[in-house]
Short mmCIF file of all heavy atoms in Angstrom, two decimals:
data_model
loop_
_atom_site.label_atom_id
_atom_site.label_comp_id
_atom_site.label_asym_id
_atom_site.label_seq_id
_atom_site.Cartn_x
_atom_site.Cartn_y
_atom_site.Cartn_z
N ILE A 224 103.52 84.23 109.37
CA ILE A 224 102.95 84.95 108.25
C ILE A 224 103.27 84.24 106.93
O ILE A 224 102.40 83.94 106.14
CB ILE A 224 103.44 86.41 108.23
CG1 ILE A 224 102.89 87.14 109.45
CG2 ILE A 224 103.02 87.11 106.94
CD1 ILE A 224 103.43 88.53 109.64
N ASP A 225 104.56 84.00 106.69
CA ASP A 225 104.98 83.34 105.44
C ASP A 225 105.02 81.85 105.69
O ASP A 225 105.85 81.34 106.42
CB ASP A 225 106.35 83.85 105.01
CG ASP A 225 106.70 83.44 103.58
OD1 ASP A 225 106.32 82.33 103.16
OD2 ASP A 225 107.38 84.22 102.90
N ARG A 226 104.08 81.12 105.10
CA ARG A 226 104.01 79.68 105.32
C ARG A 226 104.86 78.88 104.34
O ARG A 226 105.14 77.72 104.57
CB ARG A 226 102.56 79.21 105.23
CG ARG A 226 101.70 79.70 106.36
CD ARG A 226 100.30 79.17 106.21
NE ARG A 226 99.49 79.49 107.36
CZ ARG A 226 98.22 79.13 107.48
NH1 ARG A 226 97.63 78.46 106.51
NH2 ARG A 226 97.54 79.46 108.55
N LYS A 227 105.26 79.52 103.22
CA LYS A 227 106.00 78.77 102.21
C LYS A 227 107.49 78.68 102.54
O LYS A 227 108.12 77.66 102.28
CB LYS A 227 105.81 79.43 100.84
CG LYS A 227 106.40 78.62 99.70
CD LYS A 227 105.98 79.18 98.35
CE LYS A 227 106.49 78.32 97.23
NZ LYS A 227 106.04 78.80 95.92
N TYR A 228 108.03 79.74 103.14
CA TYR A 228 109.48 79.79 103.37
C TYR A 228 109.81 79.94 104.84
O TYR A 228 109.11 80.61 105.59
CB TYR A 228 110.10 80.97 102.61
CG TYR A 228 109.99 80.83 101.13
CD1 TYR A 228 109.04 81.56 100.42
CD2 TYR A 228 110.82 79.97 100.43
CE1 TYR A 228 108.93 81.42 99.05
CE2 TYR A 228 110.71 79.84 99.06
CZ TYR A 228 109.77 80.57 98.37
OH TYR A 228 109.65 80.43 97.02
N LYS A 229 110.92 79.33 105.23
CA LYS A 229 111.56 79.60 106.51
C LYS A 229 112.80 80.40 106.16
O LYS A 229 113.54 80.03 105.25
CB LYS A 229 111.96 78.30 107.21
CG LYS A 229 110.77 77.48 107.69
CD LYS A 229 111.21 76.26 108.46
CE LYS A 229 111.85 76.57 109.77
NZ LYS A 229 111.02 77.11 110.83
N PHE A 230 113.02 81.50 106.86
CA PHE A 230 114.17 82.32 106.51
C PHE A 230 114.61 83.17 107.69
O PHE A 230 113.87 83.35 108.66
CB PHE A 230 113.85 83.21 105.30
CG PHE A 230 112.69 84.15 105.51
CD1 PHE A 230 112.89 85.42 106.02
CD2 PHE A 230 111.40 83.75 105.22
CE1 PHE A 230 111.83 86.28 106.21
CE2 PHE A 230 110.33 84.60 105.40
CZ PHE A 230 110.54 85.87 105.91
N LEU A 231 115.80 83.69 107.56
CA LEU A 231 116.37 84.61 108.53
C LEU A 231 116.95 85.77 107.72
O LEU A 231 117.83 85.58 106.90
CB LEU A 231 117.47 83.94 109.34
CG LEU A 231 118.22 84.82 110.32
CD1 LEU A 231 117.31 85.26 111.45
CD2 LEU A 231 119.43 84.10 110.87
N ALA A 232 116.39 86.95 107.94
CA ALA A 232 116.86 88.15 107.24
C ALA A 232 117.42 89.12 108.27
O ALA A 232 116.78 89.38 109.29
CB ALA A 232 115.72 88.79 106.47
N VAL A 233 118.60 89.63 108.00
CA VAL A 233 119.25 90.55 108.92
C VAL A 233 119.53 91.86 108.21
O VAL A 233 120.15 91.87 107.14
CB VAL A 233 120.58 89.96 109.46
CG1 VAL A 233 121.25 90.93 110.41
CG2 VAL A 233 120.35 88.61 110.11
N ASN A 234 119.06 92.96 108.77
CA ASN A 234 119.39 94.28 108.24
C ASN A 234 120.81 94.60 108.70
O ASN A 234 121.04 94.74 109.90
CB ASN A 234 118.40 95.32 108.77
CG ASN A 234 118.67 96.71 108.23
OD1 ASN A 234 119.82 97.14 108.16
ND2 ASN A 234 117.62 97.42 107.90
N PRO A 235 121.76 94.71 107.78
CA PRO A 235 123.15 94.91 108.18
C PRO A 235 123.42 96.28 108.80
O PRO A 235 124.45 96.48 109.44
CB PRO A 235 123.93 94.74 106.87
CG PRO A 235 122.94 95.03 105.80
CD PRO A 235 121.60 94.62 106.33
N VAL A 236 122.50 97.21 108.65
CA VAL A 236 122.70 98.55 109.22
C VAL A 236 122.12 98.61 110.64
O VAL A 236 122.80 99.00 111.58
CB VAL A 236 122.06 99.63 108.33
CG1 VAL A 236 122.17 101.00 108.97
CG2 VAL A 236 122.71 99.63 106.94
N SER A 237 120.86 98.20 110.79
CA SER A 237 120.22 98.30 112.10
C SER A 237 120.43 97.07 112.97
O SER A 237 120.27 97.14 114.18
CB SER A 237 118.70 98.51 111.92
OG SER A 237 118.11 97.34 111.38
N GLY A 238 120.73 95.95 112.33
CA GLY A 238 120.86 94.70 113.06
C GLY A 238 119.52 94.03 113.31
O GLY A 238 119.46 92.96 113.93
N ASN A 239 118.42 94.62 112.84
CA ASN A 239 117.10 94.02 113.01
C ASN A 239 117.04 92.67 112.30
O ASN A 239 117.56 92.52 111.19
CB ASN A 239 115.99 94.92 112.46
CG ASN A 239 115.82 96.17 113.29
OD1 ASN A 239 116.19 96.23 114.46
ND2 ASN A 239 115.25 97.20 112.70
N ILE A 240 116.39 91.71 112.96
CA ILE A 240 116.27 90.36 112.43
C ILE A 240 114.80 90.07 112.15
O ILE A 240 113.93 90.39 112.95
CB ILE A 240 116.84 89.34 113.43
CG1 ILE A 240 118.34 89.58 113.62
CG2 ILE A 240 116.56 87.91 112.97
CD1 ILE A 240 118.96 88.75 114.72
N HIS A 241 114.56 89.43 111.00
CA HIS A 241 113.20 89.07 110.62
C HIS A 241 113.16 87.63 110.15
O HIS A 241 114.12 87.12 109.57
CB HIS A 241 112.67 90.00 109.51
CG HIS A 241 112.62 91.42 109.95
ND1 HIS A 241 111.60 91.92 110.71
CD2 HIS A 241 113.50 92.45 109.76
CE1 HIS A 241 111.84 93.19 110.97
NE2 HIS A 241 112.98 93.53 110.40
N THR A 242 112.04 86.97 110.40
CA THR A 242 111.82 85.60 109.97
C THR A 242 110.42 85.50 109.37
O THR A 242 109.71 86.51 109.25
CB THR A 242 111.91 84.61 111.15
OG1 THR A 242 110.79 84.83 112.02
CG2 THR A 242 113.22 84.76 111.92
N GLU A 243 110.01 84.28 109.08
CA GLU A 243 108.67 84.05 108.54
C GLU A 243 107.57 84.43 109.52
O GLU A 243 106.41 84.51 109.16
CB GLU A 243 108.51 82.59 108.10
CG GLU A 243 108.62 81.57 109.22
CD GLU A 243 110.07 81.22 109.60
OE1 GLU A 243 111.03 81.74 109.01
OE2 GLU A 243 110.21 80.39 110.52
N ASP A 244 107.95 84.72 110.77
CA ASP A 244 106.96 85.13 111.76
C ASP A 244 106.51 86.58 111.58
O ASP A 244 105.43 86.95 112.06
CB ASP A 244 107.50 84.94 113.18
CG ASP A 244 107.62 83.47 113.54
OD1 ASP A 244 106.82 82.65 113.03
OD2 ASP A 244 108.53 83.13 114.32
N ASP A 245 107.34 87.41 110.93
CA ASP A 245 106.96 88.82 110.78
C ASP A 245 107.27 89.40 109.40
O ASP A 245 107.21 90.61 109.21
CB ASP A 245 107.62 89.67 111.86
CG ASP A 245 109.12 89.81 111.69
OD1 ASP A 245 109.73 89.06 110.91
OD2 ASP A 245 109.70 90.69 112.34
N ALA A 246 107.58 88.54 108.43
CA ALA A 246 107.94 89.03 107.10
C ALA A 246 107.56 87.99 106.05
O ALA A 246 107.14 86.87 106.38
CB ALA A 246 109.44 89.32 107.04
N ILE A 247 107.69 88.37 104.78
CA ILE A 247 107.39 87.47 103.67
C ILE A 247 108.52 87.52 102.66
O ILE A 247 109.28 88.49 102.61
CB ILE A 247 106.05 87.82 102.99
CG1 ILE A 247 106.06 89.26 102.49
CG2 ILE A 247 104.89 87.58 103.93
CD1 ILE A 247 104.80 89.67 101.74
N VAL A 248 108.61 86.49 101.84
CA VAL A 248 109.64 86.41 100.81
C VAL A 248 108.99 86.33 99.44
O VAL A 248 108.04 85.57 99.24
CB VAL A 248 110.53 85.16 101.01
CG1 VAL A 248 111.45 84.93 99.83
CG2 VAL A 248 111.34 85.27 102.28
N PHE A 249 109.49 87.14 98.53
CA PHE A 249 109.14 87.03 97.12
C PHE A 249 110.43 86.73 96.37
O PHE A 249 111.44 87.38 96.62
CB PHE A 249 108.54 88.33 96.57
CG PHE A 249 107.18 88.64 97.10
CD1 PHE A 249 107.01 89.54 98.14
CD2 PHE A 249 106.06 88.05 96.54
CE1 PHE A 249 105.75 89.84 98.62
CE2 PHE A 249 104.79 88.34 97.02
CZ PHE A 249 104.64 89.23 98.07
N LEU A 250 110.41 85.79 95.45
CA LEU A 250 111.59 85.48 94.66
C LEU A 250 111.69 86.40 93.46
O LEU A 250 110.69 86.67 92.79
CB LEU A 250 111.56 84.03 94.22
CG LEU A 250 111.52 82.99 95.34
CD1 LEU A 250 111.56 81.59 94.76
CD2 LEU A 250 112.67 83.20 96.32
N ALA A 251 112.89 86.84 93.16
CA ALA A 251 113.11 87.79 92.06
C ALA A 251 112.74 87.19 90.71
O ALA A 251 112.43 87.92 89.78
CB ALA A 251 114.56 88.26 92.06
N LYS A 252 112.74 85.87 90.59
CA LYS A 252 112.40 85.23 89.31
C LYS A 252 110.90 85.21 89.02
O LYS A 252 110.48 84.98 87.90
CB LYS A 252 112.95 83.82 89.26
CG LYS A 252 112.29 82.87 90.24
CD LYS A 252 112.91 81.49 90.16
CE LYS A 252 112.25 80.56 91.16
NZ LYS A 252 112.82 79.23 91.09
N ASP A 253 110.07 85.45 90.04
CA ASP A 253 108.62 85.38 89.86
C ASP A 253 108.12 86.54 89.01
O ASP A 253 108.36 87.71 89.32
CB ASP A 253 107.91 85.38 91.21
CG ASP A 253 108.06 84.06 91.95
OD1 ASP A 253 108.58 83.11 91.35
OD2 ASP A 253 107.66 84.00 93.12
N LEU A 254 107.40 86.21 87.96
CA LEU A 254 106.93 87.21 87.01
C LEU A 254 105.91 88.19 87.62
O LEU A 254 105.73 89.28 87.11
CB LEU A 254 106.34 86.53 85.78
CG LEU A 254 107.36 85.76 84.92
CD1 LEU A 254 106.66 84.98 83.84
CD2 LEU A 254 108.40 86.71 84.35
N ALA A 255 105.27 87.81 88.69
CA ALA A 255 104.29 88.70 89.33
C ALA A 255 104.96 89.75 90.23
O ALA A 255 104.28 90.68 90.70
CB ALA A 255 103.30 87.89 90.16
N LEU A 256 106.25 89.64 90.44
CA LEU A 256 106.92 90.54 91.38
C LEU A 256 106.97 91.98 90.89
O LEU A 256 106.74 92.91 91.68
CB LEU A 256 108.32 90.03 91.69
CG LEU A 256 109.11 90.88 92.69
CD1 LEU A 256 108.37 90.98 94.02
CD2 LEU A 256 110.50 90.32 92.88
N MET A 257 107.27 92.21 89.63
CA MET A 257 107.43 93.59 89.14
C MET A 257 106.17 94.42 89.34
O MET A 257 106.25 95.53 89.89
CB MET A 257 107.86 93.59 87.67
CG MET A 257 109.27 93.04 87.47
SD MET A 257 110.52 93.91 88.44
CE MET A 257 110.45 95.48 87.64
N PRO A 258 105.00 93.95 88.93
CA PRO A 258 103.79 94.74 89.20
C PRO A 258 103.55 94.95 90.69
O PRO A 258 103.05 96.00 91.10
CB PRO A 258 102.67 93.92 88.56
CG PRO A 258 103.33 93.00 87.61
CD PRO A 258 104.71 92.76 88.13
#
């Protein structure tokens, strides 16, 4: 799904793991994020 980033995200409560195969990343510095 996310072609720009490779990543590994882990929910510390559930232990669920997500990568670019089922999730996307937005950077907090991007001005388009707030809207």
Side-chain angles (χ1 to χ4, degrees):
I224 294 173
D225 193 325
R226 291 181 173 180
K227 187 170 184 177
Y228 295 103
K229 291 184 68 69
F230 59 91
L231 176 68
V233 180
N234 181 317
V236 176
S237 68
N239 291 338
I240 296 173
H241 299 280
T242 69
E243 63 278 0
D244 290 329
D245 69 346
I247 57 177
V248 170
F249 290 99
L250 300 182
K252 67 182 179 179
D253 287 351
L254 293 173
L256 181 59
M257 292 304 293

